[in-house]
């Protein structure tokens, strides 16, 4: 009997907590501005996701890989050529969200081989110019379509 009494208040608290979380998520979503970004100037998403989304002025660009925008075909080339196309695709998505590389505050660079870091870093530095967003760079076992580089980013829309 004492076990069931101690469990019941705990279950009640968990139920109240779960309902509170549901309500707070609903309230946050209902007051949040949200927009899906799509442009023909960048490759279409290769899965069930968007090229980018905007939430309350924050732009979340999905990982870009070296696909040719018009054909959707993979660019077979050096890691430098792939990085240039990845950043060109990212630039097009950012433009569709009324942003440029100057608005980017965070990136993640995924490399198939960390030995390509210097080559990708050179292309990256040229694209971003004086802007130096926070960044992580990681080597991964495999990337979509077996590409050599993928980059995603977060930007803030100008006022």
């Amino acid at each position: 009997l004492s076990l069931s009494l101690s469990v019941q208040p705990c279950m009640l608290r968990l139920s109240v907590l779960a309902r509170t979380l549901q309500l707070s998520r609903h309230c946050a979503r209902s007051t949040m501005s949200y927009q899906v970004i799509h442009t023909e100037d960048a490759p279409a998403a290769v899965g069930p996701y968007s090229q980018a989304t905007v939430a309350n002025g924050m732009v979340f660009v999905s990982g870009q890989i070296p696909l040719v925008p018009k054909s959707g075909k993979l660019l077979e080339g050096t890691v430098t050529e792939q990085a240039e196309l990845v950043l060109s695709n990212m630039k097009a998505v950012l433009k569709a969200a009324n942003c440029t590389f100057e608005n980017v505050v965070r990136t993640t660079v995924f490399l198939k081989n960390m030995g390509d870091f210097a080559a990708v870093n050179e292309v990256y530095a040229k694209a971003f110019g004086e802007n130096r967003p926070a960044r992580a760079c990681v080597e991964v076992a495999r990337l979509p379509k077996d590409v050599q580089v993928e980059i995603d980013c977060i930007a803030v829309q100008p006022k």
Side-chain angles (χ1 to χ4, degrees):
L1 182 64
S2 66
L3 179 60
S4 66
L5 288 176
S6 64
V7 169
Q8 286 177 344
C10 179
M11 295 303 275
L12 179 61
R13 282 193 296 268
L14 286 174
S15 176
V16 169
L17 178 61
R19 182 68 183 139
T20 302
L21 288 172
Q22 287 174 337
L23 287 172
S24 69
R25 271 191 237 119
H26 172 74
C27 291
R29 183 66 91 155
S30 66
T31 60
M32 176 179 75
S33 68
Y34 182 84
Q35 176 187 8
V36 172
I37 300 298
H38 176 77
T39 177
E40 296 296 323
D41 295 329
V46 295
Y49 59 91
S50 303
Q51 290 172 324
T53 57
V54 180
N56 291 339
M58 298 289 296
V59 181
F60 300 88
V61 178
S62 294
Q64 297 297 304
I65 61 175
L67 296 177
V68 178
K70 300 300 179 203
S71 68
K73 295 200 184 294
L74 176 64
L75 172 69
E76 301 282 349
T78 67
V79 71
T80 299
E81 293 166 333
Q82 286 195 1
E84 288 169 347
L85 183 54
V86 163
L87 289 165
S88 175
N89 291 340
M90 180 178 286
K91 183 178 182 178
V93 175
L94 286 166
K95 182 179 178 185
N98 299 314
C99 290
T100 68
F101 284 127
E102 289 182 10
N103 304 108
V104 174
V105 295
R106 175 80 163 91
T107 65
T108 308
V109 178
F110 302 93
L111 296 175
K112 189 173 181 178
N113 180 344
M114 194 57 82
D116 293 330
F117 179 84
V120 172
N121 202 46
E122 188 176 322
V123 173
Y124 180 98
K126 187 188 299 184
F128 279 91
E130 294 300 312
N131 185 24
R132 297 289 185 249
R135 178 178 81 178
C137 181
V138 294
E139 180 180 90
V140 295
R142 194 167 181 202
L143 289 165
K145 298 190 178 274
D146 291 317
V147 300
Q148 298 175 70
V149 60
E150 177 177 357
I151 304 174
D152 68 16
C153 75
I154 300 171
V156 178
Q157 287 181 317
K159 297 280 181 190

